[in-house]
Structures are given as structure tokens and as C-alpha cells.
Amino acid sequence: MFLNSFYEFSKTLEMDKIVRDIKNNYNNQNIDEILDLISYNKGVCIEVVENSNIIYNASNFNKGCLSNPLLNEKKKDFILSGKDSYSEKVINSKFDNKILIKGLKINNSYIFINMPLEILNSTTTILSSQLIIVTFIIFILSFIISYFISRKISSPIININNTAKSLSQGNYNIVFERDSDIKEITQLVDTLNYTKDELSKTDELRRELIANITHDLKTPLTMIKAYAELVKDIDTDKEKRDNNLQVIIEETDRLNNLVNDILDLSKIQSNISKLEYSNFDINKVVKTIMNRFSYLKETKNYIFKCNTISAYVNADKKKIEQVIYNLMGNAINHIGDDKTVIVNIKDKEDSYLVEIINNGKPIKEQDINLIWDKYYKTNKKYKRDYISTGIGLSIVKGILIEHKFNYGVKSSIKDGTIFYFYIPKNK
């Protein structure tokens, strides 16, 4: 499409160079030979006129040379104009092609150069034919190559899609195969396999959650009903009646705690709860909570050690109390043979480190990141010495994330299980 335009542009630049060469060499004694060489190499026609006489004429007798009548007319106009240079594009009526004419005056001589601006030989036809053939071949090759490339890309995607459909139906036993060497597809497969594993864990936890909540609701409800019927049947024995009523009250409290914990967790996860910051001494909070479990010293011979310092912080006091209470309750439920629970408060550079430690059975490494999930238990059959709803650690996690505090757990046979969190100092 642009061959002629590009050719014209190139020839115009070439003509400017020819003009410069003639100007630079015109006073050379071998100027005739130079003009012959330029005419031959560049395919241009050159005439030199002096005193109305042609003293030099170099012509290739090609279609780039204007017919004499037209050129004579242009020469006369330029000579009479008195200008030092002249340039014009004209149509050669003989061959119907565009010609570029350049005229320049050097001393008393007038030099006229003309050259074609269009390709008028068989080269254009040959190039066009070659272009059509090459284009057709490239089109066929492109179709074949694109077909195999698309198959290479689409085939694993189709397999992924079919496997994903099976996953959407709740089948977690499937595996997304890495049958492609395309980086993006292998990354997608790895992500989907990870997602599948996480969905499987979530589904298992969901079933456990339903089972545990059902159990935790059913047990107190059954006991409330049974003891209520006993109270109904007892008329005279006041002591039995009071004991049965106390059981009903305790089981009601247990249900109330479960419902409250579920509501607290729901609020935390829904970002509904608002933090109410205040300045307080976390050391006093720890000691107050430890006193709540003092009954276990008398009934179970538990030992509570408190290695704390005065530590003023700025946080939501009620929620931090809940964190420490839940962590201590968890430590009691998994207490070791030494029946000891230790609470440490350590002074760090910009924060205080709070640790709750017991020497119970260590948590397996694969369970470390799972214990914060609702109703997840590393030991399904442990005995609770403290009434727990099973979602205490989930609430701890939610509160600490809400405060943007760093937290974690370390567990080993040597050091026991250490739940910890950092709380910034009050500045």
C-alpha cells in the first residue's frame, strides 16, 4: 500500500544528496566524469546550461527523463526567475509518471536534474506477486501453529474446568493435574489444589462445628429437663430440690455462655463490635482472672504461678480480659501432670509480652495453625476441668487481630505449650 509513498520519500532524500554532491564538486576539473557517474549510479538525468547553451547532458534514456519540450519550458521559467534554486514535482505526459525536477544556479551555470518518483519497472509486479504468495503461506502456517498452540493451552484448561465442576459438587477427593508446562496454568493448578484442600478442611470443621454445637446444646437441655422434672416430683426434700435447681441454673449458665460466645465471635468476624480503648494495668487483670480459677487450687490441687510486672497498656480492657480468661481456660483444660499453669508478663522494647504456659501434651506441628479454628481439638477425647464452649481460641484470635496485636503459640516437650501475644506499651 505504501510502497510508492516510501519510494517517493526515499528518492526525495536521495535528490537532496545529489544536489549537495554537485555543489561540492562543481569546480572540480573532472566535473563531467562526476556527473556521468552520478547519472549512471543514481538513474537521474542531468543537464548543464550556460549562456542558453547546453554544455553537458547526461541521460539514461529511461522513464525518469522528461521530454525536451516540457523540460525546456521549466528551464526557461527558472532561468528567468533569477532564483538560485528550484524544485517541482510534475507529471511526465509521455509515460504518465511523477517526476521530481531540481534546478540550481552555480556561478553562471544552470544545472537541471530530474528523476522518477514512482516505480515503473517489473520489480513492483514481482514484489507484489511474492507478497501474495508469502502472505498465503504465512496465513496457512499461522493457522496450523495457532491450532496446536490453542490445543496446548485449552486442553489443560478444559481438564481443570471438568475437575472444578466435580469440586463444586462437593467431591474433595479430586486432584487438579499438572499436565501443562505453561507457567500460568501450573500456578492456577497449584492454587486450585490448595483451595480444594482448604475447602475440604472447612467442610470437615463445619460438620464438627454442627456436631459439637448440637452436643453442647443437647446435653444441658436434657439435664435441665430431667432436673426440672425431679423438682416437680419433689415436694418435701428441700435440700434435694435446691441441688436440682442449682444444676438447672448451672446448665442454663452454660447455655448462656455458649450463646454469648457465638454472638461475640459473630460480631468480631462481622466487624460489628467496636473497640473501646482505655489505659489499664494488665498485671491487675491477670491477677483478677487468676483468682476466678482459685477454686481449682482447693478441688484439684492446681498450681497457678504469676510472674508479672506492672504494665500499663492502651486497649479494650474487657476484650483483653476475655483473651486472658480464654487462654487460661484452654491451659487448664490441657494441663499437664504437674497441674501447673504459668502466666508471664515480660518487658520488651516497645511492648509487653504476655505468655500463658502449661506442660500438657505438646501440640503437633501440623495442628499449630488449626487450633485457632472453631471447635478444633488436637485431642478429641480430652477431659475439661473448666466449662468451655469450644470456640474460645477463635474469639482470642478475632480480638487480637481486631487490635492488630501479634500473637501465636509454641509447643514442645521441653518448654510445654506457650500461648503468647504482644501488647504495645502505653506511651
Side-chain angles (χ1 to χ4, degrees):
M1 287 175 60
F2 303 102
L3 184 59
N4 282 333
S5 299
F6 180 75
Y7 185 83
E8 180 177 333
F9 174 76
S10 300
K11 284 294 184 180
T12 302
L13 295 179
E14 189 177 355
M15 176 66 87
D16 293 336
K17 186 176 183 304
I18 291 171
V19 170
R20 287 195 300 272
D21 289 343
I22 293 175
K23 284 183 176 180
N24 293 333
N25 295 285
Y26 192 74
N27 293 323
N28 193 308
Q29 60 181 357
N30 299 319
I31 184 61
D32 290 350
E33 295 178 6
I34 293 173
L35 294 177
D36 286 340
L37 191 61
I38 291 174
S39 177
Y40 177 79
N41 289 334
K42 304 297 184 180
V44 296
C45 301
I46 303 174
E47 282 188 6
V48 180
V49 177
E50 195 173 295
N51 298 323
S52 300
N53 297 316
I54 298 174
I55 63 171
Y56 174 84
N57 185 4
S59 174
N60 283 337
F61 299 101
N62 57 27
K63 297 178 181 178
C65 296
L66 280 174
S67 57
N68 284 334
L70 182 56
L71 182 59
N72 289 337
E73 182 179 342
K74 300 297 180 183
K75 289 191 290 185
K76 289 179 183 179
D77 292 338
F78 173 56
I79 293 171
L80 293 174
S81 69
K83 296 179 180 179
D84 292 331
S85 63
Y86 154 75
S87 178
E88 184 180 2
K89 295 177 183 177
V90 298
I91 301 297
N92 186 359
S93 58
K94 184 176 182 180
F95 300 106
D96 194 26
N97 65 317
K98 189 183 291 186
I99 301 294
L100 174 61
I101 302 175
K102 281 280 187 177
L104 62 151
K105 180 182 179 183
I106 302 177
N107 300 329
N108 294 322
S109 301
Y110 293 90
I111 303 168
F112 297 93
I113 312 156
N114 56 86
M115 68 187 320
L117 293 179
E118 295 178 3
I119 303 175
L120 296 175
N121 52 37
S122 60
T123 304
T124 306
T125 305
I126 294 172
L127 287 174
S128 300
S129 301
Q130 285 182 341
L131 182 62
I132 293 172
I133 295 171
V134 170
T135 302
F136 180 76
I137 293 173
I138 290 176
F139 178 79
I140 297 299
L141 290 175
S142 300
F143 179 81
I144 295 172
I145 293 171
S146 62
Y147 172 77
F148 285 104
I149 290 177
S150 63
R151 284 289 301 273
K152 186 176 180 63
I153 295 174
S154 64
S155 180
I157 292 177
I158 291 171
N159 293 335
I160 291 172
N161 182 52
N162 292 334
T163 309
K165 287 180 180 178
S166 180
L167 176 64
S168 67
Q169 296 171 359
N171 180 12
Y172 299 112
N173 296 320
I174 51 91
V175 176
F176 291 91
E177 300 292 342
R178 297 185 64 175
D179 54 357
S180 173
D181 54 1
I182 299 174
K183 180 181 177 182
E184 288 76 8
I185 293 180
T186 56
Q187 288 177 342
L188 174 62
V189 168
D190 292 341
T191 301
L192 288 172
N193 278 322
Y194 175 78
T195 303
K196 182 261 298 183
D197 293 338
E198 292 301 308
L199 286 174
S200 178
K201 293 176 185 176
T202 302
D203 190 61
E204 182 181 353
L205 289 173
R206 177 183 61 81
R207 289 195 297 268
E208 284 190 14
L209 176 63
I210 294 173
N212 280 285
I213 287 181
T214 303
H215 178 268
D216 283 349
L217 288 173
K218 184 177 180 181
T219 301
L221 286 173
T222 301
M223 295 183 70
I224 288 171
K225 181 181 179 183
Y227 281 93
E229 289 176 348
L230 285 173
V231 171
K232 181 180 178 183
D233 294 337
I234 295 173
D235 295 327
T236 57
D237 194 336
K238 184 177 182 301
E239 184 179 352
K240 269 190 177 180
R241 185 171 65 247
D242 289 344
N243 288 336
N244 292 338
L245 287 172
Q246 184 60 37
V247 173
I248 292 174
I249 292 170
E250 290 175 356
E251 293 301 321
T252 303
D253 288 340
R254 183 179 172 185
L255 278 176
N256 187 53
N257 289 337
L258 175 62
V259 172
N260 286 337
D261 278 356
I262 292 174
L263 286 174
D264 288 342
L265 183 61
S266 177
K267 287 178 182 179
I268 291 170
Q269 293 178 338
S270 303
N271 296 322
I272 295 175
S273 62
K274 300 290 184 182
L275 296 177
E276 297 179 2
Y277 285 89
S278 63
N279 298 322
F280 62 93
D281 187 353
I282 195 172
N283 175 46
K284 293 181 180 179
V285 172
V286 169
K287 291 182 176 179
T288 301
I289 294 172
M290 194 168 281
N291 286 332
R292 296 185 196 176
F293 294 100
S294 60
Y295 68 95
L296 293 173
K297 292 181 181 180
E298 302 172 2
T299 60
K300 300 282 186 178
N301 296 320
Y302 282 8
I303 301 170
F304 295 101
K305 294 183 179 180
C306 189
N307 304 315
T308 60
I309 57 175
S310 181
Y312 282 89
V313 297
N314 184 262
D316 190 313
K317 184 177 179 181
K318 288 184 178 180
K319 291 191 174 181
I320 295 301
E321 285 178 353
Q322 190 173 11
V323 167
I324 297 172
Y325 184 82
N326 287 356
L327 289 177
M328 285 196 65
N330 181 75
I332 290 168
N333 282 332
H334 297 84
I335 202 164
D337 295 335
D338 60 356
K339 295 186 177 181
T340 302
V341 174
I342 304 171
V343 180
N344 296 328
I345 297 179
K346 298 179 180 179
D347 190 353
K348 302 296 180 180
E349 288 187 10
D350 298 320
S351 60
Y352 295 106
L353 171 62
V354 181
E355 297 177 328
I356 291 88
I357 307 169
N358 68 28
N359 290 308
K361 186 178 180 180
I363 303 171
K364 295 178 181 178
E365 187 176 352
Q366 62 266 28
D367 294 329
I368 288 289
N369 293 325
L370 301 175
I371 60 174
W372 305 99
D373 295 330
K374 299 181 287 292
Y375 275 109
Y376 185 84
K377 305 182 187 73
T378 57
N379 181 4
K380 306 291 182 181
K381 297 182 179 179
Y382 69 84
K383 181 180 178 182
R384 291 175 178 170
D385 290 321
Y386 145 80
I387 296 175
S388 170
T389 59
I391 56 177
L393 291 182
S394 293
I395 293 174
V396 169
K397 175 184 175 181
I399 291 173
L400 294 177
I401 289 176
E402 195 175 12
H403 277 83
K404 298 180 180 178
F405 292 167
N406 291 327
Y407 67 96
V409 58
K410 296 180 286 187
S411 187
S412 65
I413 296 175
K414 179 182 178 182
D415 300 323
T417 298
I418 306 172
F419 282 85
Y420 65 89
F421 65 91
Y422 291 87
I423 184 166
K425 293 180 179 179
N426 183 19
K427 296 181 179 180

